[in-house]
Amino acid sequence: MGLFRKLADLPRRAKLYMLWLTDVLAIILALYIALSLTQHSLLLFSELSVYRLLFLGSVLVKTLVFYAVGLHRSVLKYISSELLWKGVVLSSLLFGILLVVMTYPAYSFVLWVNDFVWTFLLVLGIRSLARFLVYAESIHHPRKPLIIYGAGMAGSQLAKTLSAGREFKIVAFVDDNPQIQSHLVGGIMVYNPVFLPKLIGDYGVETLLLAMPSISRSEQATILNSLASLPVTVKTVPTLEEIVSGQTGINTLLSVSVKDLLNRDEVLPDESLLAADIRGKVVLVTGAGGSIGSELCRQIARQKPQQLILYELNEFALYQIDLELSETFPDLACLPYLGSVTDPARLRAVLTQHRVNTIYHAAAYKHVPLVEHNAGAAVINNILGTRIVAEAALDHAINTFVLISTDKAVRPTNVMGATKRVAELILQSIASSSTTTRFSIVRFGNVLGSTGSVVPRFTDQIRAGKAITVTHPEVTRYFMSIPEAARLVIQAGAMGGQGEIFLLDMGKPVKIYDLAKQMIYLSGLLPEIDIPIKITGLRPGEKLYEELLIDRKKAMPTKHPKIFMAQDYDGNIGDLHRYIDQLLQAAQTGDMMAIRKYLQALIPEYQPKDKVLPLAPARLENNQIIA
């Protein structure tokens, strides 16, 4: 087989020349057999000179027709019997007509039929044999059995492509459409999905391909949930949007993303809102190196701002996002600044130098257990930092200011949520007296793939074969993708007036325990058998359920059908700033009891469930990324 594999690795032009040569030999041999059958005896070599014009005409006519119909542009791996049939029929008809017109003496109908039949058999036979010798290594390396879910256009094209390769063998289609069940698609039987367990067991299938790119996210989630208990790894083909946009090809197989399991489609953006506060303007992002901040920068870059300013305290994070943007958007005017949001002089110098139009404030400490043990630092960063940036925006007459908040700010039970709620109140109090700057707040739930998301943690645990750690079997969370969250922030800023809170219709919350089980299933493993799920107990400050609004009745629609708006501010501005000053003093001295006291004075609904923790303790046991 080594020689034939070397032939397969030759340049395409060389292989096509060899294919043309084999066709010439097949045409000559077919005519020789036809003549011998007509005369009922094998022709001797000395007798062939009498028929030299016949052989020459046959070769010229047939190879020209083969070339015209594309037989010499195809390759062995993708033999098309329809194309071959078309080429042989047309060339034989043309050759017969030519012989009749020229009244060739040796021509007869019997000769023509024999020549036609043997031409077809030899051309097909030689190509098929060559294909077998070159590509059929399954004798020594059996191909992996696959099942494709979806027998439509995407599924049939995927099956044709994979079947031509040397790695996979398509053993069955399954499809929900009863009209095509029990029928053959490309020679492969289509089954009802109820037969999947039997098919998987009979053929030893380890991988199932979901080839239904046109269905909605919710429909895909329903199918994936039905497949979750099967002992197979599930992969998908790209969506039609990804195919049409050129991001990927239809034959590309993708691992199932956890966002496919969330039972809702991503909320599509309003392009006019995305561009409103960005295109042709100077935009600054605080926390530009974080998971949300960096995605904001990517989305902003696509809207062609006049200038994008990256403001970030972490040097390496700033280096990474600056390098990525410079490579992805070479024409973008991008300026990286190292600085803290708690440094007013540094921040105001940047605002003065660049005449900023829009600020997206993403800088924050947000990991619940860490913030619970470092409450003073969180108060200074999340509360003082927000006040400094918001007041600087007001003083510099920035057009738009957007604060990125969290669902944990609603009836908070932890320091992180409480500090973000105080940050919201600060912004709303400043907005109430502003006539120049539009201030807006955006709340959303957990972001898939962010540094604070449970999903990367689960993925790492499954990959390492470790137990997945879940804090409580009833913990539920709202989820959204990082790009979706960034687009929400941008669009909300464009709709903001003075201090409104914007939130996304995030569908139904997801139970973290169920999400863990589904991720194990879709990795081709079994929960509690291959990967155990360990309940570790709620962490300091963690809630079972999260909310997006304190009072749902206050939610109002906006011009975007999936974005809602509310006003959650009824506080006294004088008391607000008096308590904040006292809170900041407590934070600077590390007085945890005083921090809790003033947080509860500011946020009456803040009800911490845990005892007071020491500040900056030793490394936590079983520390986890927050859900």
Side-chain angles (χ1 to χ4, degrees):
M1 289 291 177
L3 173 63
F4 294 107
R5 289 304 309 138
K6 290 179 180 179
L7 291 177
D9 293 333
L10 287 173
R12 178 178 172 83
R13 183 177 294 275
K15 287 187 287 188
L16 291 180
Y17 282 142
M18 292 178 64
L19 193 62
W20 176 83
L21 181 59
T22 60
D23 284 344
V24 169
L25 293 175
I27 292 167
I28 292 173
L29 183 57
L31 183 56
Y32 173 80
I33 294 173
L35 286 167
S36 296
L37 289 173
T38 304
Q39 298 185 12
H40 305 290
S41 65
L42 288 174
L43 290 174
L44 298 176
F45 182 78
S46 59
E47 299 175 289
L48 294 180
S49 60
V50 179
Y51 303 102
R52 61 181 180 274
L53 290 179
L54 188 63
F55 280 102
L56 180 61
S58 179
V59 169
L60 288 175
V61 170
K62 291 178 182 178
T63 54
L64 287 173
V65 172
F66 285 4
Y67 179 81
V69 301
L71 272 179
H72 289 159
R73 291 192 295 273
S74 63
V75 293
L76 285 178
K77 188 182 290 188
Y78 304 106
I79 294 174
S80 170
S81 56
E82 295 87 355
L83 196 62
L84 185 59
W85 179 260
K86 178 182 176 181
V88 173
V89 169
L90 287 177
S91 63
S92 295
L93 284 174
L94 185 59
F95 182 53
I97 293 170
L98 183 64
L99 293 178
V100 170
V101 171
M102 296 180 65
T103 62
Y104 193 82
Y107 173 77
S108 70
F109 182 72
V110 174
L111 174 65
W112 180 85
V113 170
N114 284 330
D115 178 58
F116 165 73
V117 171
W118 281 100
T119 299
F120 181 80
L121 292 177
L122 287 173
V123 171
L124 176 62
I126 291 174
R127 287 171 180 242
S128 298
L129 178 62
R131 182 181 184 278
F132 173 79
L133 293 173
V134 171
Y135 294 106
E137 294 187 350
S138 57
I139 297 173
H140 304 288
H141 304 284
R143 297 193 295 175
K144 297 176 183 178
L146 291 180
I147 294 175
I148 296 180
Y149 198 121
M153 181 186 70
S156 60
Q157 183 172 341
L158 185 62
K160 184 177 180 181
T161 302
L162 293 176
S163 295
R166 303 187 300 275
E167 187 174 357
F168 300 109
K169 178 183 179 182
I170 312 303
V171 297
F173 282 111
V174 293
D175 202 291
D176 297 312
N177 184 355
Q179 295 182 350
I180 60 175
Q181 290 168 3
S182 301
H183 288 71
L184 294 176
V185 173
I188 302 169
M189 181 62 71
V190 182
Y191 294 89
N192 188 304
V194 298
F195 293 106
L196 265 174
K198 178 173 172 52
L199 292 169
I200 290 169
D202 290 348
Y203 290 104
V205 175
E206 297 179 353
T207 304
L208 185 145
L209 310 180
L210 180 59
M212 303 179 75
S214 61
I215 63 175
S216 67
R217 186 77 67 189
S218 59
E219 291 173 311
Q220 191 174 76
T222 301
I223 294 173
L224 290 171
N225 286 330
S226 71
L227 302 174
S229 60
L230 298 176
V232 291
T233 299
V234 180
K235 292 184 178 291
T236 65
V237 297
T239 64
L240 292 179
E241 181 182 351
E242 291 169 327
I243 296 168
V244 172
S245 65
Q247 296 178 40
T248 186
I250 193 169
N251 301 328
T252 304
L253 300 182
L254 309 172
S255 296
V256 173
S257 168
V258 176
K259 68 183 181 182
D260 297 331
L261 305 173
L262 300 184
N263 204 28
R264 71 172 177 87
D265 296 327
E266 285 195 0
V267 176
L268 297 177
D270 181 328
E271 294 297 332
S272 63
L273 292 176
L274 285 179
D277 290 323
I278 296 175
R279 189 156 299 166
K281 298 183 179 181
V282 180
V283 182
L284 182 144
V285 178
T286 69
S291 52
I292 299 298
S294 60
E295 180 61 30
L296 265 173
C297 293
R298 296 181 192 101
Q299 299 281 350
I300 290 167
R302 293 187 181 98
Q303 298 301 322
K304 300 181 180 179
Q306 177 185 332
Q307 206 170 51
L308 174 57
I309 299 171
L310 314 177
Y311 195 81
E312 169 63 54
L313 181 61
N314 185 297
E315 180 189 17
F316 183 63
L318 181 62
Y319 165 77
Q320 283 186 307
I321 185 59
D322 182 46
L323 179 63
E324 178 188 334
L325 292 174
S326 65
E327 292 177 346
T328 310
F329 304 96
D331 297 328
L332 175 68
C334 184
L335 298 172
Y337 282 94
L338 277 169
S340 171
V341 292
T342 60
D343 183 350
R346 173 68 166 163
L347 180 65
R348 288 173 180 268
V350 173
L351 295 179
T352 301
Q353 181 177 350
H354 295 289
R355 302 179 64 85
V356 174
N357 302 111
T358 304
I359 294 177
Y360 296 103
H361 181 43
Y365 291 154
K366 60 184 180 181
H367 295 270
V368 169
L370 290 178
V371 168
E372 206 69 16
H373 286 261
N374 297 272
V379 166
I380 292 171
N381 192 70
N382 294 358
I383 295 176
L384 178 61
T386 298
R387 185 165 76 174
I388 287 173
V389 179
E391 288 177 347
L394 185 66
D395 292 344
H396 285 77
I398 304 298
N399 296 334
T400 303
F401 182 102
V402 184
L403 168 68
I404 298 171
S405 189
T406 170
D407 56 0
K408 293 174 179 62
V410 180
R411 278 182 272 272
T413 59
N414 51 64
V415 173
M416 193 280 278
T419 58
K420 293 299 286 184
R421 178 63 183 141
V422 174
E424 292 179 355
L425 295 176
I426 289 172
L427 205 72
Q428 290 174 317
S429 71
I430 294 175
S432 65
S433 59
S434 172
T435 58
T436 55
T437 304
R438 294 186 298 111
F439 290 93
S440 304
I441 300 162
V442 183
R443 275 188 201 147
F444 43 76
N446 291 268
V447 180
L448 291 170
S450 72
T451 55
S453 171
V454 73
V455 172
R457 178 64 171 168
F458 284 176
T459 301
D460 291 341
Q461 288 172 329
I462 293 171
R463 188 179 294 120
K466 298 179 180 178
I468 281 186
T469 50
V470 177
T471 59
H472 192 284
E474 297 300 320
V475 168
T476 61
R477 294 291 182 263
Y478 291 98
F479 281 96
M480 66 196 314
S481 69
I482 294 180
E484 190 178 32
R487 291 193 297 262
L488 169 63
V489 170
I490 295 170
Q491 291 173 97
M495 293 188 289
Q498 290 302 342
E500 299 92 344
I501 294 175
F502 292 89
L503 50 132
L504 184 71
D505 178 2
M506 298 184 68
K508 296 180 180 179
V510 176
K511 189 177 289 189
I512 302 300
Y513 186 85
D514 293 342
L515 183 64
K517 287 173 61 178
Q518 290 170 322
M519 289 183 67
I520 296 171
Y521 278 131
L522 294 173
S523 298
L525 304 171
L526 296 175
E528 304 300 351
I529 297 176
D530 299 309
I531 301 288
I533 299 177
K534 181 181 178 182
I535 305 299
T536 59
L538 290 175
R539 295 158 300 174
E542 186 177 23
K543 292 198 294 186
L544 283 179
Y545 310 99
E546 301 289 1
E547 305 169 271
L548 289 171
L549 273 179
I550 295 174
D551 186 351
R552 290 181 177 272
K553 295 179 181 179
K554 292 184 178 181
M556 297 176 289
T558 66
K559 63 185 294 185
H560 193 295
K562 292 290 186 177
I563 299 178
F564 297 88
M565 179 181 69
Q567 281 280 4
D568 267 357
Y569 179 63
D570 300 311
N572 182 289
I573 293 178
D575 288 343
L576 173 69
H577 290 287
R578 175 166 56 85
Y579 283 132
I580 286 175
D581 290 338
Q582 293 169 328
L583 173 63
L584 292 173
Q585 289 178 8
Q588 289 168 349
T589 60
D591 187 342
M592 186 62 203
M593 293 296 294
I595 289 174
R596 277 203 170 180
K597 171 186 172 182
Y598 292 119
L599 281 176
Q600 287 180 301
L602 287 160
I603 315 294
E605 63 270 21
Y606 169 48
Q607 298 296 328
K609 297 180 180 179
D610 308 297
K611 63 182 180 181
V612 173
L613 298 171
L615 296 181
R619 185 179 180 86
L620 299 173
E621 286 188 15
N622 299 321
N623 186 41
Q624 299 169 281
I625 302 298
I626 63 172

